[in-house]
Amino acid sequence: MEAALLRIQAGENFDSLSLRSITKAAGVVPAAFYRHFDSLDDLGLALMDESFGTLRAMLREARRGEWTEAIPTSVQVLTGYVNDHRDHFAFIARARGSASSRLRLAVLAEIRLIASELATDLARFPYLRDWSTDDLNMVATLIVNAMISTVEAILETPPDNHVAQVRVAEVADKQLRLVILGVPHWHSEP
Amino acid sequence: MEAALLRIQAGENFDSLSLRSITKAAGVVPAAFYRHFDSLDDLGLALMDESFGTLRAMLREARRGEWTEAIPTSVQVLTGYVNDHRDHFAFIARARGSASSRLRLAVLAEIRLIASELATDLARFPYLRDWSTDDLNMVATLIVNAMISTVEAILETPPDNHVAQVRVAEVADKQLRLVILGVPHWHSEP
DNA sequence: CACAATCGTGAACACTCGTACACCCAGGAC
DNA sequence: GTCCTGGGTGTACGAGTGTTCACGATTGTG
């Protein structure tokens, strides 16, 4: 699993890497792979479990902050987690656009789930309390999309380049603030 | 090229489809491929040219509308173009997360370019006239990301399901309006 | 000590892959 | 009528693919 994550983090796509390249990187003969996984698909699912495990841990931590500080703490938790677990987030990001529809659909479903969870979270905020479910989902997906592209930006930025890292975080912070600024003036109809 | 686009539109990834599957779908023997392209990479570049051709045509048309109607006309042009050229947009969407870094990087660069063009466009709007370049880029990438996910949503929706199509367009419209609503109240510092 | 389980090994299997070559044939130019 | 060109065909090559199988070695347990 480490070998696979390493290659994915280096820019390869999960379903473009071969059994043999994985096992060679792991210092093992191809057949040994089958002592641990039933197939390559199986490896993909295992990586998904692990990766989404850390993603959900991140979400739990992000939710623990104070109401009024939701944006800065969320951004901080996000950047921290992504940099601490670059491999897992790189795997998810890559699997999102991959060909193996098994994985792609699973990732898409998870992200949709996260968006709808965020929608119910948002309903507890002032101004958003009496929005329609549709409108809450609308703003939740807007936010989730912004966060996904933030994750991709973080992954493209070298972890030791602190200036660039801070810049990415600032952009994410501003985007969230801009979206929230519109909330008090919202009317569902044009 | 048609055969390749067809398979991509059906959900496959560009670099997961093989020479032989393409040529078989085109009703031709593998070797005949090389009468038209130097290699598979070459085919990818040709498809990129064609696809970004229609994307840029779309952008030109979207820019032609009236100031005050920018949002609804943009959304309308977007949905129209994506549905009329599903193959090209599917190709771009898939290439964005693909493994062949040649294509992926090219697509990413194009999208970044489009975002910065949008940023200069935005500078002509009221309230946005004296924003800093950084902040203009911030809101431009926010908008571009929302549009990309809208494109993906359109592609996932059957073209003949008009109810679903209209719903996707409405969400896109609302997201843009929400973002713009925050603009007049913006302060760059928290 | 013996036994079972765990994990790695080497060879083999039946594919598929991209690419190259010699050949062929229709159609237009002279 | 000859020649050239564009495009299609059949065959072949070497490399890489996922997977299976019989076999060894190491290790902890009874």
Side-chain angles (χ1 to χ4, degrees):
Chain A
M1 290 175 74
E2 285 177 24
L5 287 176
L6 215 74
R7 298 189 91 78
I8 286 167
Q9 205 180 331
E12 288 189 63
N13 195 331
F14 172 72
D15 48 33
S16 85
L17 47 78
S18 67
L19 213 209
R20 293 172 140 90
S21 79
I22 296 173
T23 53
K24 199 196 308 188
V28 139
V29 94
F33 174 86
Y34 292 91
R35 298 285 173 200
H36 308 273
F37 302 96
D38 284 349
S39 66
L40 275 178
D41 270 16
D42 199 29
L43 172 65
L45 294 186
L47 290 173
M48 259 221 33
D49 277 5
E50 210 183 67
S51 300
F52 272 102
T54 88
L55 203 170
R56 299 214 87 98
M58 178 189 82
L59 293 178
R60 274 195 301 276
E61 183 164 338
R63 260 191 277 261
R64 283 218 323 256
E66 265 304 315
W67 273 72
T68 52
E69 293 294 312
I71 292 180
T73 62
S74 292
V75 171
Q76 196 184 333
V77 169
L78 183 79
T79 56
Y81 258 79
V82 174
N83 274 315
D84 286 353
H85 308 277
R86 297 195 137 235
D87 47 2
H88 289 164
F89 285 90
F91 174 76
I92 294 176
R94 285 284 144 67
R96 222 170 60 92
S98 113
S100 154
S101 41
R102 296 263 302 162
L103 282 187
R104 202 180 73 233
L105 295 182
V107 170
L108 253 54
E110 276 282 344
I111 289 177
R112 249 189 278 270
L113 192 65
I114 289 171
S116 74
E117 289 174 12
L118 174 60
T120 75
D121 276 5
L122 288 174
R124 284 199 283 273
F125 275 71
Y127 288 108
L128 283 160
R129 219 178 295 267
D130 34 48
W131 279 32
S132 74
T133 320
D134 276 0
D135 285 1
L136 284 172
N137 273 317
M138 177 274 288
V139 56
T141 64
L142 180 60
I143 290 174
V144 166
N145 283 329
M147 292 299 97
I148 289 175
S149 84
T150 299
V151 169
E152 284 167 350
I154 295 172
L155 290 174
E156 284 168 20
T157 309
D160 51 352
N161 185 345
H162 298 105
V163 185
Q165 288 279 344
V166 168
R167 191 158 44 225
V168 171
E170 279 175 357
V171 170
D173 189 272
K174 286 183 175 183
Q175 289 181 336
L176 288 182
R177 273 170 42 221
L178 178 59
V179 170
I180 298 304
L181 269 183
V183 165
H185 312 90
W186 176 250
H187 297 98
S188 194
E189 301 302 322
Chain B
M1 291 174 74
E2 285 177 24
L5 286 177
L6 215 74
R7 298 189 91 78
I8 287 167
Q9 204 179 332
E12 285 189 66
N13 195 330
F14 171 72
D15 48 33
S16 85
L17 46 77
S18 67
L19 214 211
R20 293 174 138 90
S21 78
I22 296 173
T23 52
K24 198 196 308 189
V28 139
V29 93
F33 174 87
Y34 292 93
R35 298 287 174 198
H36 307 273
F37 302 96
D38 283 350
S39 67
L40 275 178
D41 269 16
D42 199 30
L43 171 65
L45 294 186
L47 289 174
M48 258 221 34
D49 277 6
E50 210 183 68
S51 300
F52 272 102
T54 87
L55 202 170
R56 299 214 86 97
M58 178 189 83
L59 293 178
R60 275 195 300 277
E61 183 164 338
R63 261 192 276 262
R64 284 220 322 259
E66 265 303 316
W67 273 70
T68 52
E69 293 294 312
I71 292 180
T73 61
S74 292
V75 170
Q76 196 185 333
V77 169
L78 183 79
T79 56
Y81 258 79
V82 174
N83 274 314
D84 286 353
H85 309 276
R86 297 195 137 236
D87 47 3
H88 289 164
F89 285 90
F91 174 77
I92 294 175
R94 284 285 144 67
R96 222 169 61 92
S98 116
S100 154
S101 42
R102 296 266 301 163
L103 282 187
R104 200 180 76 233
L105 295 182
V107 170
L108 252 54
E110 277 281 344
I111 288 177
R112 250 189 277 268
L113 192 66
I114 288 171
S116 74
E117 288 174 13
L118 174 60
T120 74
D121 276 5
L122 289 174
R124 285 197 283 273
F125 275 70
Y127 289 108
L128 283 160
R129 219 177 295 268
D130 34 47
W131 279 33
S132 74
T133 320
D134 276 0
D135 285 1
L136 284 172
N137 273 318
M138 177 275 288
V139 56
T141 62
L142 180 60
I143 291 175
V144 166
N145 284 328
M147 292 298 97
I148 290 175
S149 84
T150 299
V151 169
E152 283 167 351
I154 296 172
L155 290 174
E156 283 167 21
T157 309
D160 52 352
N161 186 345
H162 297 105
V163 185
Q165 288 279 343
V166 168
R167 190 158 45 225
V168 171
E170 279 174 357
V171 170
D173 190 272
K174 287 183 175 185
Q175 290 181 336
L176 288 182
R177 275 169 39 222
L178 178 59
V179 170
I180 296 305
L181 269 183
V183 166
H185 311 90
W186 176 249
H187 298 98
S188 194
E189 302 302 323

